Amino acid sequence: MILELDCGNSLIKWRVLSASQSMIVEGVVQGSGELLDAVAVVACAQIHFVRMVSVRSDVEVAQLVDLLREAYGVVVAVASPAQVLAGVANGYEDYERLGLDRWLALVAAYQRSSRAVLVIDLGTAITSDFVGDDGAHRGGFICPGLPLMRSQLRTHTRKIRYGDEEGLMVRGSILPGRSTAEAVERGCLHMVRGFVEEQVSLAAELLGNFDVYLTGGDAGLVSDMLPQARVCADLVFAGLALACPFEGA
Ligand SMILES: Nc1ncnc2c1ncn2[C@@H]1O[C@H](COP(=O)(O)OP(=O)(O)O)[C@@H](O)[C@H]1O
Ligand SMILES: CC(C)(COP(=O)(O)O)[C@@H](O)C(=O)NCCC(=O)O
Ligand SMILES: [K+]
């Protein structure tokens, strides 16, 4: 079995695939200690290969690789920056600086569509990436995701104060807020939705006909705006399989 890990800034997404690459089980944890416990419940003894992508620090990646090697005694492949992968050319001036989660997601999206794509990943940060019909990555944008927007407002003002529970309760509407919690939660949601709308207009200008892909933990907050969009929770994993194929038997 293959263990796959996508280590974002907030969460580690993990899943276990069979030898024929079909998904057996998946989960989400915050840190590496929790990860081993979660995987142990289902599959520990039978992991033959681990592949991972991370946007965390080099130190954290090295620690996690050591932990996994020790736990399973197997090869741990870590996705690394590339100028070209599966027919897609990295569009950054310095290709090594492009976030690896962005890179893998945009490569997978282009591979699925075989035409121009706009990829929007809504996680800790929200990122968009543009790929042309020819597989040339044209670059993209990075802005704060919803959790960062909320916490910045709460940290840098004196009177924006409300509990997490209240915040959770007032989400889901886009009507003007009549309390602080409503005003902040819904205001931030409007920022996210406005950003997404703007990316789609820009993609129409830059790319002509294109497919839109939505991924990341908060994709569901905008998917209703774009009925034509493909909501793919597994986009980073699909790119990871291209970057780190399992070659053992
Ligand atoms: N089980 C969960 N725990 C925490 N956040 C979650 C969970 N499921 C969905 N989310 C949402 O997903 C977002 C994080 O998305 P994700 O794509 O995993 O981010 P990152 O890749 O930056 O770690 C959070 O802002 C939260 O709104
Ligand atoms: C932009 C990101 C912080 C997004 O991370 P995430 O929200 O998925 O945790 C990550 O892709 C990253 O660290 N990128 C490096 C900078 C860049 O892409 O230019
Ligand atoms: K993201």
Side-chain angles (χ1 to χ4, degrees):
M1 293 195 282
I2 300 171
L3 172 62
E4 298 186 321
L5 305 175
D6 167 12
C7 309
N9 281 292
S10 304
L11 300 171
I12 299 178
K13 279 69 69 181
W14 64 271
R15 61 183 203 172
V16 174
L17 306 184
S18 69
S20 61
Q21 314 263 333
S22 53
M23 212 261 291
I24 296 174
V25 58
E26 63 187 334
V28 168
V29 292
Q30 240 130 27
S32 44
E34 223 186 309
L35 173 73
L36 288 192
D37 291 345
V39 178
V41 172
V42 288
C44 171
Q46 299 145 54
I47 302 293
H48 297 113
F49 178 60
V50 180
R51 60 184 164 220
M52 63 180 269
V53 54
S54 176
V55 293
R56 299 187 174 192
S57 70
D58 292 346
V59 172
E60 270 180 278
V61 173
Q63 281 171 349
L64 184 53
V65 168
D66 284 347
L67 197 72
L68 292 163
R69 278 203 189 115
E70 209 158 289
Y72 306 124
V74 297
V75 173
V76 178
V78 183
S80 58
Q83 280 170 304
V84 177
L85 177 63
V88 183
N90 190 315
Y92 256 31
E93 286 164 14
D94 178 354
Y95 73 94
E96 295 185 282
R97 297 263 174 180
L98 175 65
L100 281 164
D101 54 348
R102 297 173 60 191
W103 173 236
L104 297 184
L106 71 91
V107 167
Y110 181 76
Q111 220 223 9
R112 282 185 185 178
S113 284
S114 297
R115 68 163 184 162
V117 292
L118 166 67
V119 181
I120 305 179
D121 184 336
L122 300 101
T124 310
I126 298 175
T127 59
S128 67
D129 281 285
F130 297 69
V131 182
D133 265 329
D134 55 357
H137 172 226
R138 307 275 190 85
F141 298 97
I142 303 173
C143 65
L146 265 174
L148 287 183
M149 290 184 198
R150 271 184 212 117
S151 73
Q152 285 296 92
L153 282 169
R154 285 154 97 171
T155 313
H156 294 284
T157 62
R158 308 291 193 284
K159 295 199 170 167
I160 293 184
R161 294 284 177 271
Y162 57 90
D164 291 340
E165 199 133 306
E166 192 184 353
L168 273 174
M169 277 175 30
V170 301
R171 285 178 205 165
S173 163
I174 49 171
L175 292 175
R178 295 164 69 93
S179 68
T180 303
E182 286 182 0
V184 169
E185 292 294 329
R186 298 177 190 176
C188 293
L189 182 58
H190 275 293
M191 287 201 63
V192 171
R193 291 170 69 93
F195 174 80
V196 167
E197 205 165 77
E198 190 66 27
Q199 299 309 296
V200 173
S201 323
L202 188 57
E205 264 175 56
L206 296 177
L207 303 177
N209 289 322
F210 62 97
D211 290 335
V212 184
Y213 285 81
L214 297 175
T215 191
D218 286 328
L221 297 177
V222 299
S223 50
D224 64 300
M225 298 166 59
L226 304 170
Q228 78 284 17
R230 303 176 188 200
V231 183
C232 296
D234 67 344
L235 210 51
V236 174
F237 284 133
L240 180 60
L242 296 170
C244 305
F246 177 48
E247 271 143 11

Short mmCIF file of all heavy atoms in Angstrom, two decimals, residues 6-10 13 55 92 97-102 121-127 142, ligand 2:
data_model
loop_
_atom_site.label_atom_id
_atom_site.label_comp_id
_atom_site.label_asym_id
_atom_site.label_seq_id
_atom_site.Cartn_x
_atom_site.Cartn_y
_atom_site.Cartn_z
N ASP A 6 -0.14 15.28 2.05
CA ASP A 6 -0.13 16.65 1.54
C ASP A 6 -0.08 17.56 2.77
O ASP A 6 -1.10 17.74 3.45
CB ASP A 6 -1.38 16.87 0.69
CG ASP A 6 -1.63 18.35 0.37
OD1 ASP A 6 -0.74 19.19 0.61
OD2 ASP A 6 -2.75 18.66 -0.12
N CYS A 7 1.11 18.08 3.07
CA CYS A 7 1.29 18.87 4.30
C CYS A 7 1.12 20.35 3.99
O CYS A 7 2.05 21.00 3.47
CB CYS A 7 2.67 18.61 4.89
SG CYS A 7 3.06 16.87 5.08
N GLY A 8 -0.06 20.87 4.28
CA GLY A 8 -0.32 22.30 4.11
C GLY A 8 0.09 23.05 5.35
O GLY A 8 0.59 22.45 6.32
N ASN A 9 -0.13 24.35 5.36
CA ASN A 9 0.25 25.14 6.54
C ASN A 9 -0.64 24.86 7.74
O ASN A 9 -0.18 24.97 8.87
CB ASN A 9 0.24 26.63 6.19
CG ASN A 9 1.49 27.02 5.43
OD1 ASN A 9 2.59 27.01 5.99
ND2 ASN A 9 1.36 27.31 4.15
N SER A 10 -1.90 24.50 7.50
CA SER A 10 -2.79 24.22 8.63
C SER A 10 -2.93 22.73 8.91
O SER A 10 -2.92 22.31 10.06
CB SER A 10 -4.20 24.77 8.38
OG SER A 10 -4.16 26.14 8.10
N LYS A 13 -3.13 16.43 5.05
CA LYS A 13 -4.11 15.54 4.46
C LYS A 13 -3.38 14.24 4.13
O LYS A 13 -2.28 14.28 3.56
CB LYS A 13 -4.69 16.13 3.16
CG LYS A 13 -5.80 17.18 3.35
CD LYS A 13 -5.33 18.50 3.93
CE LYS A 13 -4.45 19.29 2.97
NZ LYS A 13 -3.97 20.58 3.57
N VAL A 55 4.51 22.21 2.16
CA VAL A 55 4.87 23.64 2.07
C VAL A 55 5.34 24.14 3.43
O VAL A 55 5.40 25.32 3.68
CB VAL A 55 3.70 24.51 1.53
CG1 VAL A 55 3.40 24.15 0.09
CG2 VAL A 55 2.44 24.36 2.39
N TYR A 92 7.29 30.43 -12.97
CA TYR A 92 7.96 31.37 -12.07
C TYR A 92 9.34 31.76 -12.61
O TYR A 92 10.02 30.95 -13.23
CB TYR A 92 8.12 30.72 -10.68
CG TYR A 92 7.15 31.23 -9.63
CD1 TYR A 92 5.87 31.68 -9.98
CD2 TYR A 92 7.50 31.28 -8.28
CE1 TYR A 92 4.99 32.14 -9.01
CE2 TYR A 92 6.62 31.73 -7.31
CZ TYR A 92 5.36 32.16 -7.68
OH TYR A 92 4.50 32.63 -6.72
N ARG A 97 10.80 28.56 -6.29
CA ARG A 97 10.02 29.35 -5.31
C ARG A 97 8.52 29.10 -5.39
O ARG A 97 7.78 29.51 -4.49
CB ARG A 97 10.25 30.85 -5.58
CG ARG A 97 11.66 31.27 -5.37
CD ARG A 97 11.77 31.84 -4.00
NE ARG A 97 13.14 32.15 -3.68
CZ ARG A 97 13.51 32.67 -2.53
NH1 ARG A 97 12.62 32.94 -1.61
NH2 ARG A 97 14.76 32.92 -2.29
N LEU A 98 8.07 28.49 -6.47
CA LEU A 98 6.63 28.24 -6.59
C LEU A 98 6.21 27.18 -5.57
O LEU A 98 6.83 26.12 -5.50
CB LEU A 98 6.33 27.74 -8.02
CG LEU A 98 4.89 27.33 -8.30
CD1 LEU A 98 3.92 28.51 -8.19
CD2 LEU A 98 4.78 26.70 -9.70
N GLY A 99 5.19 27.47 -4.79
CA GLY A 99 4.72 26.52 -3.77
C GLY A 99 4.45 25.16 -4.41
O GLY A 99 3.78 25.07 -5.43
N LEU A 100 4.96 24.12 -3.77
CA LEU A 100 4.84 22.79 -4.39
C LEU A 100 3.41 22.30 -4.46
O LEU A 100 3.06 21.54 -5.36
CB LEU A 100 5.73 21.80 -3.63
CG LEU A 100 7.20 21.91 -4.01
CD1 LEU A 100 8.08 21.21 -3.00
CD2 LEU A 100 7.43 21.34 -5.41
N ASP A 101 2.57 22.74 -3.51
CA ASP A 101 1.16 22.33 -3.60
C ASP A 101 0.50 22.97 -4.82
O ASP A 101 -0.26 22.34 -5.56
CB ASP A 101 0.40 22.65 -2.30
CG ASP A 101 0.50 24.12 -1.88
OD1 ASP A 101 1.33 24.89 -2.43
OD2 ASP A 101 -0.27 24.52 -0.97
N ARG A 102 0.84 24.22 -5.10
CA ARG A 102 0.32 24.90 -6.28
C ARG A 102 0.79 24.18 -7.54
O ARG A 102 0.02 23.93 -8.46
CB ARG A 102 0.81 26.36 -6.32
CG ARG A 102 0.34 27.20 -5.18
CD ARG A 102 1.01 28.57 -5.21
NE ARG A 102 0.74 29.30 -6.45
CZ ARG A 102 1.36 30.43 -6.81
NH1 ARG A 102 2.29 30.95 -6.02
NH2 ARG A 102 1.05 31.05 -7.92
N ASP A 121 -6.99 27.29 -5.15
CA ASP A 121 -6.82 26.43 -3.96
C ASP A 121 -7.12 27.27 -2.73
O ASP A 121 -6.39 28.22 -2.41
CB ASP A 121 -5.37 25.91 -3.95
CG ASP A 121 -5.11 24.94 -2.81
OD1 ASP A 121 -5.82 24.98 -1.79
OD2 ASP A 121 -4.17 24.13 -2.93
N LEU A 122 -8.22 26.92 -2.04
CA LEU A 122 -8.66 27.73 -0.88
C LEU A 122 -8.30 27.03 0.41
O LEU A 122 -9.02 26.14 0.88
CB LEU A 122 -10.17 27.99 -0.97
CG LEU A 122 -10.62 28.73 -2.23
CD1 LEU A 122 -11.20 27.76 -3.25
CD2 LEU A 122 -11.62 29.81 -1.92
N GLY A 123 -7.14 27.38 0.97
CA GLY A 123 -6.69 26.80 2.24
C GLY A 123 -6.28 27.92 3.19
O GLY A 123 -6.97 28.95 3.27
N THR A 124 -5.17 27.74 3.88
CA THR A 124 -4.65 28.79 4.77
C THR A 124 -4.48 30.08 3.96
O THR A 124 -4.90 31.16 4.38
CB THR A 124 -3.27 28.37 5.32
OG1 THR A 124 -3.38 27.05 5.84
CG2 THR A 124 -2.81 29.33 6.38
N ALA A 125 -3.83 29.92 2.81
CA ALA A 125 -3.80 31.00 1.81
C ALA A 125 -4.75 30.60 0.69
O ALA A 125 -5.10 29.43 0.56
CB ALA A 125 -2.39 31.16 1.26
N ILE A 126 -5.17 31.59 -0.09
CA ILE A 126 -5.91 31.26 -1.32
C ILE A 126 -4.97 31.56 -2.48
O ILE A 126 -4.38 32.65 -2.55
CB ILE A 126 -7.19 32.10 -1.43
CG1 ILE A 126 -8.11 31.77 -0.26
CG2 ILE A 126 -7.90 31.80 -2.76
CD1 ILE A 126 -9.35 32.63 -0.19
N THR A 127 -4.81 30.57 -3.37
CA THR A 127 -3.93 30.78 -4.51
C THR A 127 -4.71 30.53 -5.79
O THR A 127 -5.67 29.75 -5.81
CB THR A 127 -2.73 29.82 -4.45
OG1 THR A 127 -3.20 28.47 -4.45
CG2 THR A 127 -1.89 30.06 -3.22
N ILE A 142 -1.52 35.05 -4.83
CA ILE A 142 -1.62 34.52 -3.46
C ILE A 142 -2.31 35.57 -2.60
O ILE A 142 -1.91 36.74 -2.63
CB ILE A 142 -0.22 34.26 -2.84
CG1 ILE A 142 0.60 33.30 -3.69
CG2 ILE A 142 -0.36 33.74 -1.41
CD1 ILE A 142 2.06 33.14 -3.22
C1 LIG B 2 1.04 30.02 -1.03
C2 LIG B 2 1.17 28.91 0.00
C3 LIG B 2 1.51 29.51 1.35
C4 LIG B 2 -0.18 28.17 0.08
O1 LIG B 2 -0.11 27.24 1.13
P1 LIG B 2 -1.42 26.57 1.79
O2 LIG B 2 -2.50 27.57 1.89
O3 LIG B 2 -1.83 25.46 0.85
O4 LIG B 2 -0.98 26.02 3.11
C5 LIG B 2 2.25 27.86 -0.45
O5 LIG B 2 1.97 27.41 -1.74
C6 LIG B 2 3.64 28.46 -0.40
O6 LIG B 2 4.27 28.50 0.63
N1 LIG B 2 4.15 28.94 -1.57
C7 LIG B 2 5.48 29.51 -1.71
C8 LIG B 2 5.40 30.90 -2.28
C9 LIG B 2 4.90 30.93 -3.71
O7 LIG B 2 4.19 30.03 -4.18
O8 LIG B 2 5.26 31.91 -4.39
#
